Structure formats: structure tokens, C-alpha cells
Amino acid sequence: MTPSAFIDDPNWAGFIPEMREAARQRHLPTHEDCARLDVEAATMHLRKGGTLGMMPGYEERPGQIDMSGAIARAFNAREHLMIEAGTGVGKSLAYLVPSILWAWTNDTPVIISTATRNLQSQLIGSDIPRALKILSPQTSNFKVALLKGRGNYLCLRAVAEFFAAGYWTMSADEQALMPAFIDWLQQTADGDLDGYEGLPRNLLSCPGEECSGRRCPFYSKCFVYKARKAAAEAHLVIVNHALVLAEARAPGSGILPGYGRLVLDEAHNLESIATEYLSYELSLPNLTRILNRLVRRGKGKRARSGGVLSSVERQFQKGAFAGNPSGETVMRMIAEASHLTVKVVNAAEDLFDVAALLLAPAKERSVCRYKVENGVRKHSLHRLFEPYAADEWNEAQFLKAQTDFEEQLAAMVNLLHNLRDTLDDAVPEGELNYLADLSSQVSGIADSLVGFANEANFVIRGEKDTHAYWVERVRLEKRPSYLRLVAAPLSVAEDLKKMFYDVKDSVILCSATLRVGNDFKYMARRLGCGGGDATAGQDGARFKFLTAASPFDYFRQSLVLAPDCLPDPSSDPVDYAGSLAMLIRDLFSVTNGRALVLFTSYEMMNAVAAHAHQLLADIGITLLVQGEGLSRESMTRRLKESVNQPQTSSLKPQTVLFGAQSFWEGVDVAGEALSCVVLARLPFAQVGDPVVEARSEKIDREGGSSFRDYALPEAVIKFRQGFGRLVRTKSDRGVVVVTDPRLVTKNYGATFRKSIPASVHTVTELEELLQRVAEFF
């Protein structure tokens, strides 16, 4: 069937199976009604000779057994638990075994939440199938579900709207994408858009506010509700931190089934993810995304309109209002809404034109913090707030622009409510048809605009000392820059406490990097987990803490070197970049590539790469740099594959990766493909980060030390993540080189050195560094 014939077929979605029955209703049992786990029997599965211990090549890991037993006891005692599980402990199996046993024994879901998709894939594809062997022969009866946010699933109603105007009204680019999209649509079982690349995701998904649920004509085939049905019936539900936060803010919303036990893996990322989730943003792209759901004007020669208003108009043309006088009223409202959309956008642009002046004191910088104190708006560039000068800022003008914008927005919301009511009146009583679904969409868009207005008001007022406020010019490649105003919480500890620890029976937080020094106090404080030790006060009475030691022999498997012969990167970045490029050329000639260089900024990374590309090419080494076309996954795959390339000279062609930010964690390359990790700079937060600055000021105001109590612990945790990229198995061997001389020249360097499970050896000359590396290999 041709794409045009497929799209014009009114039954194009006929091949998609329907949900056969409603989800099985399960009531969340109270803790008192739950059967307790036999801790010794649970941990026996992980011991040599146990269910999992009988697998070929299995090695018993004491840290894994300790962790699994501690989680089983926490589940039994209705306690929360924070665990640092060193690399190689096998933390996934350690929490999966008690989670599976608890869920199966009590027929109640356990939620496993991760920060990254990579870990979700590992859990679903490898770890969970292995762990389920403990239930043999009943493994097939245990249900596992992977649940993502609504925006990750194809919305069939959105597809129907996209198809409605017909194939020949599509742009040439859209027509070219149709064969691949239709092929994917006919093959996908779950509608997961992560498996599709082509059409923009906003054309294919639906925000929650605009979902009409059972009123939607595609409800019985809906991929979102199929996924939620599977989750409602599952024993183990795999989600990400953003989704579990969304459910926690709206309990009973149906996003997740009722649950009492939650495992938060990669918990060192929880604060940053919660901060982003709980932040407010005012920006034109965010407003445009909402308005595009209402009316979307086409581009190019085959311009066609889209959005809910166009769908309502098509229903009118198809005779949906035949004999109903409300039809003419609806058409007048559509025309008025289209006109109002222009007014809303114009008012928003006027508001942002004034808001751009908030950046005036920043000169060349693209970020400026602000706040309103006793009615006076102030700005801060260097952690010192000062009132805006009269010649650069007019508060009355700003507030008038806000009022004008809110008036246009209120007019639009009022009109949409009237349109919703009119559409509802046109639907015969007790009947569900396309008009009922469109009415729900209109109502959802109105709710989105109200939410946008509330967020805008909070951000503009800038009065709460619980938040950091800033204005930022966002610059994009190949697209116009835009302005955004943001309000981010200074602390998420109390929010996490209310959303999770106060209402859930047992929350397990685990990661390879949760301690600073020898205790959990820093991370426990940031995440609202009490005092960070087993003797915590009232707030932390239900919290326990455990360190599960890594089985790796880092003193044998790794060599950590700290050359102090390079310039200080903080005081002489230009000279440092050139010197570092020369050092890594000589270093990688010894290691034969096989290396990962971690940077804290793209600016430094690109500066070093400018020197290093040719230097490394001259010795037969390929350099791959983040941001130069390949994804992180593709770069990592190239590194893994390079060690197996055919030998064409005395040296195998080898690969080196340059990465920033995201490469400090989640890069897992075992074996000799990665034999050297270079940490180009101690990973302190970038100067000028508005959230970091505001949190630092709060700590100083309260009598603490922002460096000792915040900047240093954050950097140490990230430093440990970077160090952890090297040794991934018991057979791995390699070298870590920390080229930032501050590791050995500054007093705080000792905190970094003591944070890793290996000795740091200082070298004073390049020749000594190369000799030590050569001897190690």
C-alpha cells in the first residue's frame, strides 16, 4: 500500500490491537499485612552454590551479599537505606533479588528508578532475566514492566490529526519520511518513540493535560494506557527519576500503581534531576509549544494548518454540526481564537523585549541572576546583589508588559473554556465521539496556559528566598537564540522528604558515589535523608547507611599519577591547553591510545582538541571529540571496537575520546580498549552557574563554608565518578593521570586523593610520568 493510500484509509489504525480488559485491580497492602523476607534465604541466592551462584564463572562478592541482606532487612523493618556500592559490587543484582522476592511474596509492585536509559536497558535486557532465576520454575508468572513518560509514546490521536488533511497536503520532507514512519508504525508493539527517528516528536505525542482518556476514539489502542496497564499488573516496574517525581507530585494520578517500596539507583543524580523537575521557566518556546497544539500554521509551498482548531474546523466541514446551530458559534470562536493567538504571541514578545534588559549589567555574559527585595529588583554578577540602575531598567514598564500579557492569556483561556462548553453541548448525551475528544483537548490547552501564567508570575516576581532566579540568553546552532527566565529551588531535601520518605514504607538510595570522606553526611543532607549516620536524630530515625566495598584490587589493577609540571588551569588556561595537548601525545604514544580524556568545560576541551588532533594523527591515533558529530554511544562503541581492528603497522590504529560533563559517568568500557583515563581538571562546578552560586550564598549566610560544605563535596563526588571509568572488571588494568596540578599543590587536594581507593603518585617531570606508565604496562 502506498503512503497516500495508507493515510487516506479511514481505518489506518485497524491493525493495532486493542486492550482486551481493564488492568487487574490490586490494593496496596499495609506493611503489617506483608509477609517478611527470610534474609538468610534471600542472600543465599547470591552465595557460591546458591541459585545465581551456580552460574558458570560466578564469583561470590561479599559487598553484594551485604547490600542485598541490608535491603531485605530494610523492607522487613519499614526503613529507608542509603548504600554506596563500589564499582564491581553488582548492585543491580543486590537490589533486584530482595525486590523480586518482596514483590512476588506479597503480590505488590516494587518500583526501580534510574537516572539513565543505559541502566534501564541493562536491567531489562540482562540483570532482571538473570535475577528471575531465583523464582524458577515460576519465573514466567513474574511480570516486569518498563514505563516511560507520556511524551515517549506515540499518540494515535496525534497521528490521526497529522493524517487528517491528507498525504498531498504534506510538505516534501514529510512525504519523504512517510514510508519509514508507516513501516515503524506497523512494527512497533509498544509505540516507544525512542525507537523512531524522523518526524518531530511533538507531532507524534500528547501532553497529559490534553489527553482525553476514555473519551479519545483511540483509547482502546492507546500505547500510554497499554504501558500503564502493564505497569499496574507488574511486580517490578522500571522507571526514571523524572517519572517517579511526577507521580509523587500527583499521587493517585494513575501514572504508577500504588507502591510502598522504591529503589532509586544512580541516586547521586537525584538532587540535580529533582531541581530541574521542580524549577519554573518562562520562555517563548515553552509558550509556542502550547499554542502550536491549538493552532499550527504550516510552512513552505504546501503550507497546511494543524492543531486542535483545525481539527474542529474539519469536523464542521464533515457535517458534525449538521442541524445544530452551535456550529456557526464554534466557527466564530475558532476565528477569534486564531486572532487571539497572534495577540498572545505579540504580548509575549513585548514582555521578552523588556525582560532582555535584565541582562544589561551582564555585558558580554549570557546569564544574570536577579531577585526582588522589598519591591526593588536587584541583579548579581559576582554574588553581590545591587539594584538595577535607573537608565538600564524600568520596573513599571516590565510589570505593565506582564499585565498586558496576562490579560491576553486570560482572554484566550476564557475563550477556550467557552469553546469547550459549546463542544460538550454539541455531543449527544451519553455518546463518545470525536467532538468529545476535541473538547478535552481544548480544555487541556486552557489548563496548560493557566499553568504557564502561574509559572510566569512566580518567575517574574522573584520574591521567594527559597529559589534562585536568573535570566539567560540561550544560543542554538542554526536557530535563533531566545530568552528564558528561570526559578530553581535552592534545596530539594524537604520536597523529597514529603514526596518519598514520609509516605513510602521503604526507599533505597544507591550509587557508586554517595560518600564524601568516610561518611554519608553530605549526600544525606542534600537529599533530606537525616544526619547521614546510623545514629541520626528524629528526622533520620528510619534511615540506615551502608558501604558495600568494591571487590577490585585497585592497588594492583591501577596506577594513579599526578604530574605537577603543568600550568595551573584556573590561572593560565591558554598555556595549560597547549601543554596538556603535548603531554597527552607523549602519554598516548606509550599507551597506544586506548584512552578517555575528561574535561569540565567544552571550551577547554575544544582548545586542547585544536592542538591535539594533528599531534595524535601523526602517531596513528584517531581522536573523537564530543560535539563533533558522534553521539556518546557511538564514540564509546568506536573505542570498544578499535582494539579489535586489524593490525596495519607496528601499532594497531587506536582511538582516544575527549568528553565533557556526561562522559564523567555512564561510560562503561571493560578490557584493554580503555587503559588510560586522563582527568584534565578537578571537576568543580563552572563559575557563573546560577544555582551553584545561590546555594553557595545560602550556606554562607547560614554560617557555613560554601567551599567546604558544597563546592568541594560536589567536586569530589564527580572526581570519583571520573576515576570509576577505568576499572570495570577484575581483569582490567590501567592508568589514571590527573593533570590538574592543584591535586598536589592545594591543601584541598588531599580530600580528592583520599576519596579514591588507590594511592596517588606525584611525578615532577614528563619523563618520569612516561617511564612509570611504560613500566606499569
Side-chain angles (χ1 to χ4, degrees):
M1 183 183 294
T2 64
S4 60
F6 180 89
I7 290 169
D8 292 338
D9 182 358
N11 193 37
W12 62 265
F15 64 92
I16 299 174
E18 297 185 347
M19 289 184 282
R20 295 184 178 179
E21 67 264 335
R24 178 172 68 94
Q25 294 297 313
R26 288 188 296 177
H27 296 288
L28 180 66
T30 65
H31 175 72
E32 291 71 20
D33 291 336
C34 289
R36 305 303 187 259
L37 298 181
D38 183 329
V39 177
E40 185 59 33
T43 56
M44 187 61 207
H45 289 295
L46 294 166
R47 296 185 184 276
K48 194 72 174 176
T51 310
L52 301 177
M54 290 188 293
M55 292 187 295
Y58 186 85
E59 292 183 3
E60 185 174 305
R61 307 177 192 185
Q64 186 181 61
I65 293 170
D66 291 345
M67 178 177 173
S68 190
I71 294 173
R73 285 188 289 272
F75 282 0
N76 285 343
R78 196 171 174 265
E79 293 175 339
H80 306 313
L81 181 62
M82 180 177 280
I83 308 171
E84 180 175 285
T87 306
V89 162
K91 61 179 168 59
S92 299
L93 282 179
Y95 62 66
L96 284 172
V97 166
S99 297
I100 288 170
L101 291 173
W102 185 273
W104 180 252
T105 302
N106 294 293
D107 190 27
T108 185
V110 174
I111 308 297
I112 309 291
S113 180
T114 76
T116 62
R117 293 176 182 174
N118 286 346
L119 182 53
Q120 288 183 344
S121 299
Q122 176 187 316
L123 290 172
I124 292 293
S126 173
D127 295 339
I128 292 175
R130 289 172 63 202
L132 284 176
K133 294 182 185 298
I134 66 175
L135 295 181
S136 183
Q138 296 175 306
T139 300
S140 61
N141 296 322
F142 189 91
K143 295 182 179 179
V144 180
L146 172 63
L147 184 62
K148 300 183 179 183
R150 177 184 294 274
N152 290 281
Y153 294 100
L154 180 75
C155 173
L156 295 173
R157 190 255 299 155
V159 175
E161 289 181 3
F162 183 62
F163 284 175
Y167 176 79
W168 298 108
T169 67
M170 294 180 180
S171 68
D173 289 342
E174 290 170 340
Q175 288 183 356
L177 292 169
M178 277 302 103
F181 173 69
I182 293 171
D183 184 57
W184 174 81
L185 178 62
Q186 291 176 324
Q187 294 184 39
T188 183
D190 55 14
D192 187 349
L193 290 170
D194 286 340
Y196 170 74
E197 291 185 9
L199 291 167
R201 185 168 289 201
N202 64 341
L203 282 178
L204 305 177
S205 60
C206 168
E209 298 88 346
E210 297 165 34
C211 176
S212 55
R214 294 180 181 276
R215 302 180 80 182
C216 176
F218 296 96
Y219 173 76
S220 63
K221 298 174 181 287
C222 177
F223 290 117
V224 171
Y225 285 100
K226 285 179 182 178
R228 290 186 179 179
K229 177 178 180 290
E233 298 175 344
H235 297 92
L236 211 59
V237 184
I238 312 302
V239 298
N240 64 23
H241 295 343
L243 185 62
V244 85
L245 284 164
E247 192 278 337
R249 287 195 81 185
S253 60
I255 298 174
L256 291 174
Y259 67 94
R261 279 149 185 84
L262 167 67
V263 177
L264 294 163
D265 200 347
E266 302 177 309
H268 63 281
N269 285 314
L270 182 59
E271 183 182 26
S272 62
I273 293 173
T275 298
E276 183 176 355
Y277 182 78
L278 297 171
S279 294
Y280 301 121
E281 177 180 322
L282 169 61
S283 69
L284 198 55
N286 280 4
L287 175 64
T288 302
R289 274 191 286 272
I290 300 173
L291 295 177
N292 279 347
R293 292 284 181 179
L294 187 66
V295 55
R296 186 173 60 252
R297 293 171 177 80
K299 299 178 181 179
K301 294 180 180 179
R302 295 173 179 168
R304 62 170 185 163
S305 298
V308 176
L309 297 185
S310 294
S311 297
V312 175
E313 188 173 3
R314 279 193 291 271
Q315 290 301 305
F316 178 84
Q317 293 168 350
K318 290 179 179 179
F321 295 92
N324 190 330
S326 64
E328 295 299 329
T329 302
V330 166
M331 293 305 294
R332 284 197 301 271
M333 288 182 177
I334 290 175
E336 187 179 350
S338 297
H339 182 60
L340 259 180
T341 300
V342 176
K343 285 189 171 184
V344 169
V345 172
N346 289 340
E349 290 175 342
D350 291 342
L351 176 63
F352 283 109
D353 285 343
V354 179
L357 299 176
L358 288 168
L359 272 173
K363 306 303 179 186
E364 300 301 319
R365 294 179 59 185
S366 59
V367 178
C368 183
R369 288 173 57 209
Y370 67 86
K371 68 177 180 180
V372 177
E373 202 169 52
N374 298 323
V376 178
R377 193 171 298 271
K378 300 179 178 180
H379 64 85
S380 170
L381 295 178
H382 305 290
R383 298 180 58 175
L384 179 64
F385 277 96
E386 298 177 350
Y388 277 89
D391 61 345
E392 64 186 11
W393 181 252
N394 186 324
E395 184 72 11
Q397 183 185 18
F398 189 37
L399 295 181
K400 182 182 184 304
Q402 179 193 3
T403 300
D404 292 345
F405 172 65
E406 287 179 343
E407 288 177 353
Q408 298 299 334
L409 215 52
M412 175 65 83
V413 169
N414 185 58
L415 178 63
L416 293 179
H417 284 161
N418 291 336
L419 177 59
R420 173 202 61 196
D421 295 342
T422 306
L423 290 173
D424 282 341
D425 291 341
V427 178
E429 187 174 351
E431 185 175 327
L432 296 179
N433 64 13
Y434 205 56
L435 287 181
D437 174 53
L438 291 173
S439 169
S440 295
Q441 292 181 54
V442 169
S443 181
I445 294 171
D447 290 345
S448 295
L449 290 174
V450 171
F452 184 88
N454 291 336
E455 288 196 19
N457 185 58
F458 185 88
V459 172
I460 288 172
R461 285 187 176 275
E463 297 171 336
K464 297 287 187 180
D465 61 5
T466 56
H467 286 68
Y469 301 89
W470 73 92
V471 58
E472 178 179 6
R473 174 71 62 185
V474 180
R475 305 186 189 281
L476 304 171
E477 289 187 17
K478 300 179 181 179
R479 283 188 290 170
S481 64
Y482 68 90
L483 202 71
R484 70 173 191 149
L485 281 69
V486 185
L490 297 182
S491 172
V492 298
E494 191 62 27
D495 293 286
L496 294 176
K497 184 173 179 292
K498 291 177 180 178
M499 289 190 290
F500 298 124
Y501 318 138
D502 288 349
V503 295
K504 301 303 178 186
D505 289 326
S506 187
V507 178
I508 311 299
L509 301 100
C510 58
S511 167
T513 53
L514 290 174
R515 293 182 304 154
V516 177
N518 293 317
D519 61 54
F520 293 89
K521 291 180 181 178
Y522 173 74
M523 193 59 76
R525 186 170 64 250
R526 301 303 307 176
L527 299 182
C529 305
D533 55 58
T535 59
Q538 186 64 35
D539 288 342
R542 288 177 59 200
F543 260 97
K544 297 289 186 292
F545 302 87
L546 173 72
T547 301
S550 171
F552 297 157
D553 182 356
Y554 285 99
F555 288 96
R556 179 186 60 83
Q557 293 180 253
S558 65
L559 174 66
V560 185
L561 299 173
D564 67 354
C565 51
L566 270 68
D568 186 331
S570 61
S571 59
D572 193 356
V574 175
D575 193 19
Y576 178 78
S579 299
L580 178 57
M582 298 295 289
L583 182 147
I584 63 175
R585 177 201 60 186
D586 297 336
L587 173 62
F588 297 157
S589 67
V590 176
T591 66
N592 197 16
R594 306 181 298 164
L596 169 65
V597 186
L598 296 173
F599 296 87
T600 58
S601 74
Y602 285 93
E603 183 180 7
M604 175 64 75
M605 179 180 70
N606 292 330
V608 176
H611 294 284
H613 265 296
Q614 191 58 50
L615 291 173
L616 293 177
D618 290 343
I619 57 174
I621 293 175
T622 300
L623 173 61
L624 302 178
V625 181
Q626 184 181 5
E628 291 189 355
L630 292 178
S631 66
R632 187 180 76 165
E633 291 71 23
S634 297
M635 291 173 66
T636 303
R637 185 169 58 252
R638 290 273 294 273
L639 180 63
K640 292 177 180 178
E641 294 170 350
S642 67
V643 77
N644 298 317
Q645 291 179 11
Q647 188 168 345
T648 57
S649 65
S650 59
L651 291 176
K652 286 185 178 180
Q654 295 295 351
T655 302
V656 168
L657 306 187
F658 277 14
Q661 305 305 339
S662 64
F663 276 73
W664 284 77
E665 58 182 280
V667 174
D668 191 349
V669 181
E672 63 176 15
L674 179 57
S675 298
C676 181
V677 171
V678 175
L679 306 183
R681 191 166 183 173
L682 296 180
F684 288 105
Q686 289 293 296
V687 175
D689 184 305
V691 175
V692 172
E693 282 190 358
R695 286 176 173 169
S696 298
E697 290 169 9
K698 180 175 184 291
I699 292 169
D700 290 334
R701 282 198 309 270
E702 295 172 350
S705 165
S706 57
F707 180 78
R708 182 194 65 225
D709 301 334
Y710 182 53
L712 184 59
E714 285 290 314
V716 166
I717 287 171
K718 191 163 187 176
F719 180 78
R720 296 181 64 205
Q721 284 284 335
F723 173 83
R725 296 313 95 214
L726 181 67
V727 177
R728 308 303 297 175
T729 70
K730 279 191 172 183
S731 61
D732 286 355
R733 295 180 77 249
V735 177
V736 174
V737 179
V738 185
T739 58
D740 190 333
R742 294 176 295 176
L743 183 69
V744 294
T745 61
K746 299 293 185 180
N747 289 336
Y748 58 75
T751 305
F752 288 95
R753 298 195 299 271
K754 292 176 182 177
S755 71
I756 57 176
S759 297
V760 177
H761 303 275
T762 303
V763 292
T764 58
E765 296 181 353
L766 176 60
E767 290 74 15
E768 182 185 1
L769 171 72
L770 301 178
Q771 182 180 350
R772 294 288 295 270
V773 172
E775 289 173 353
F776 179 81
F777 285 117

